[in-house]
Amino acid sequence: MDKLGLLHFPDDKNGRIRSKQYLRDTIGNKAVSDVWLGISPLQGQSLEKQNYPTQKPEVLLERVVFASSNLGDIVLDCFAGSGTTLAVAEKLGRRWIGIDCGKLAIYTIQKRMLNLKSEIGNKGKPLKPKPFTLYNAGLYDFSTLRQLPWADWRFFALQLFGCKDEPHTIGGLKLDGKLKGASVLVFNHHEHPGKRIDEDTVRDIHAAVGKKIGRKFFIIAPRGVFDFQQDYLDLDGVRYYALRIPYSVINELHHREFTALQQPNDETAVNDIVDAWGFDFIRPPKVHWSVGVKKRKSQLFEEAFLKVKKFQSYARLRGEDTYGGLETFSMLMLDFDYDGDVFDMDAVFYAHQLDAANWEAWFPAENLGEKVMAVFIDIHGNEAREVIPRAQFGLRPVKLASKKTTVKK
């Protein structure tokens, strides 16, 4: 190898002799550096433009996905943004998972994945995506949960706090699972309607299992069932934790306080990182609004508009109910031609834009179909949805397109 010039001898006598590899012997004639040039940023008229402030070009993610995965692999983007990674993964035959805490991101991704083109850069023929689903993690509809059968409620409660489903019995008491090796009891509010959990209840549990369960024990129940405010009670060296639904997992488990996942109210905040632990129930805001068609000042033609007259949001932060008005408004999203099934976002208006326009959103009347869906979102991620008939804008019904006859030759 030395005669062929394939060895490198270091100047340091104690260094290792290493083999050489020449560029001419590698695949291709130019090594890829760690500075990627030649990838242009997205242009205003680009076919793949999603009007998402921090969108990356598909050609960039094509290189990343090709370099890091094989056909059929799962590609995970846990800050999915506008969904470029997912769109590219779909086109390159990969499976994918996208995560984002922003509602704008989620609806942008949904629209994008339903309108893919086969080639990178959103060119070529329409590409029908493989089936995918949208999961909402961290927000739960209590009215639905309250109606769950006991088995489903028990499963939900265990999953919510990351407990293992391991039914077992100690001291004659039936227990439901394990959390960090400690026993977990899910309070059966179906079997004991109206019953409360107070300190005497915990003492009764301790009398039955206290000497057999180690140093920790967890009780999961709806928040309103507990009659004591402490996160835990200590009895004879055993700590009984109260895991309240729907509040955050108690601070000692996560070593940090619960904060809400706030939604952006302007373009510069869409990728702000929120450090949050916990969850809350969905509490739709109340919105008073009006729609119509009229001519704006300095405009020649009439436009459709939606005016937000009043907005009231609700949230529960660190155990306290909070209320807010327009200052808690995040954004308005519109689907101009709602099909009655999938919300296909056509426009988004941030709070600061609406505030500057007297809380009016303006858009071309000719874009409206028979139904418009409006999604009003507060800074906590809660949303109110309204399906608005075209007639409510004062517009005539959309004319049916003339039928075309196809003759097979």
Side-chain angles (χ1 to χ4, degrees):
M1 291 178 67
D2 185 27
K3 291 180 179 178
L4 295 174
L6 298 178
L7 293 179
H8 168 72
F9 294 88
D11 295 333
D12 182 2
K13 294 182 179 179
N14 296 322
R16 289 182 58 189
I17 300 174
R18 299 182 181 274
S19 62
K20 293 181 181 180
Q21 184 177 31
Y22 291 93
L23 186 60
R24 64 175 181 267
D25 298 323
T26 62
I27 298 176
N29 56 11
K30 186 177 181 181
V32 177
S33 73
D34 57 1
V35 178
W36 292 357
L37 304 175
I39 298 177
S40 301
L42 283 178
Q43 304 301 316
Q45 301 301 315
S46 173
L47 295 175
E48 61 183 283
K49 189 76 172 176
Q50 300 294 320
N51 294 319
Y52 193 90
T54 56
Q55 182 184 350
K56 306 298 185 294
E58 289 189 1
V59 65
L60 172 63
L61 271 301
E62 179 188 31
R63 180 179 292 185
V64 174
V65 172
F66 258 135
S68 60
S69 66
N70 297 313
L71 197 67
D73 282 353
I74 298 177
V75 176
L76 169 67
D77 187 346
C78 51
F79 298 91
S82 67
T84 302
T85 301
L86 314 184
V88 170
E90 181 76 20
K91 296 176 185 182
L92 298 182
R94 274 69 167 170
R95 294 173 292 162
W96 47 265
I97 301 171
I99 304 170
D100 208 292
C101 65
K103 290 293 184 73
L104 175 61
I106 295 303
Y107 287 126
T108 298
I109 293 169
Q110 179 173 270
K111 179 180 179 67
R112 187 171 188 173
M113 300 308 293
L114 292 172
N115 295 276
L116 290 177
K117 296 293 181 64
S118 58
E119 299 178 15
I120 298 298
N122 207 35
K123 303 172 184 177
K125 298 179 180 179
L127 176 66
K128 183 178 180 180
K130 295 176 182 177
F132 65 91
T133 189
L134 174 61
Y135 286 100
N136 190 2
L139 293 174
Y140 305 92
D141 185 344
F142 185 59
S143 62
T144 301
L145 290 173
R146 195 161 44 189
Q147 299 170 10
L148 287 176
W150 162 244
D152 293 336
W153 170 267
R154 176 184 171 278
F155 175 78
F156 162 78
L158 291 171
Q159 293 297 309
L160 193 60
F161 290 97
C163 305
K164 292 182 179 179
D165 189 348
E166 293 184 8
H168 58 289
T169 301
I170 299 179
L173 182 64
K174 293 182 179 180
L175 304 175
D176 297 279
K178 293 289 186 69
L179 177 59
K180 298 183 178 179
S183 292
V184 176
L185 169 68
V186 180
F187 176 73
N188 192 335
H189 59 279
H190 288 255
E191 188 175 314
H192 307 287
K195 185 176 179 180
R196 318 283 297 170
I197 298 178
D198 54 21
E199 293 189 21
D200 287 338
T201 307
V202 178
R203 291 190 183 95
D204 290 341
I205 294 173
H206 180 67
V209 303
K211 296 181 179 180
K212 307 170 184 177
I213 58 173
R215 300 177 62 184
K216 294 181 180 180
F217 188 92
F218 298 92
I219 305 171
I220 303 176
R223 178 197 60 83
V225 170
F226 288 98
D227 272 345
F228 55 88
Q229 299 299 317
Q230 303 97 308
D231 286 332
Y232 54 82
L233 296 175
D234 287 326
L235 295 174
D236 300 328
V238 181
R239 180 162 290 185
Y240 292 86
Y241 290 91
L243 302 186
R244 295 171 169 88
I245 299 173
Y247 305 139
S248 66
V249 179
I250 55 177
N251 297 340
E252 184 166 326
L253 295 180
H254 286 307
H255 306 293
R256 65 185 76 192
E257 292 187 333
F258 167 64
T259 51
L261 289 172
Q262 293 209 348
Q263 302 297 309
N265 54 18
D266 63 57
E267 300 92 330
T268 62
V270 295
N271 277 344
D272 284 354
I273 295 175
V274 179
D275 189 14
W277 284 95
F279 50 88
D280 203 350
F281 285 157
I282 294 172
R283 302 196 63 184
K286 292 183 178 179
V287 189
H288 294 281
W289 49 270
S290 62
V291 294
V293 175
K294 62 182 180 181
K295 187 185 297 184
R296 276 194 287 177
K297 292 181 180 179
S298 73
Q299 296 293 324
L300 298 176
F301 304 100
E302 289 186 333
E303 294 177 273
F305 71 91
L306 185 154
K307 181 177 179 64
V308 179
K309 292 183 173 181
K310 187 178 180 180
F311 186 80
Q312 183 77 55
S313 70
Y314 308 88
R316 191 164 184 92
L317 306 179
R318 296 189 179 94
E320 297 293 332
D321 285 320
T322 62
Y323 308 92
L326 286 170
E327 75 280 359
T328 63
F329 190 93
S330 170
M331 66 186 79
L332 165 67
M333 299 179 184
L334 295 173
D335 180 349
F336 294 145
D337 190 14
Y338 179 55
D339 65 2
D341 184 21
V342 177
F343 177 74
D344 193 357
M345 185 180 66
D346 291 308
V348 58
F349 300 88
Y350 295 99
H352 76 98
Q353 295 172 318
L354 294 175
D355 189 17
N358 195 29
W359 291 94
E360 293 177 334
W362 294 85
F363 36 91
E366 59 269 21
N367 290 351
L368 305 188
E370 290 295 352
K371 290 184 292 186
V372 175
M373 174 174 271
V375 180
F376 305 87
I377 301 178
D378 68 18
I379 59 175
H380 308 299
N382 298 314
E383 60 183 55
R385 296 186 172 201
E386 298 283 353
V387 177
I388 309 169
R390 176 185 175 88
Q392 196 164 339
F393 286 85
L395 297 171
R396 295 178 179 179
V398 177
K399 292 182 179 180
L400 295 176
S402 59
K403 294 183 179 180
K404 297 181 179 179
T405 304
T406 302
V407 180
K408 186 175 181 180
K409 294 182 179 179

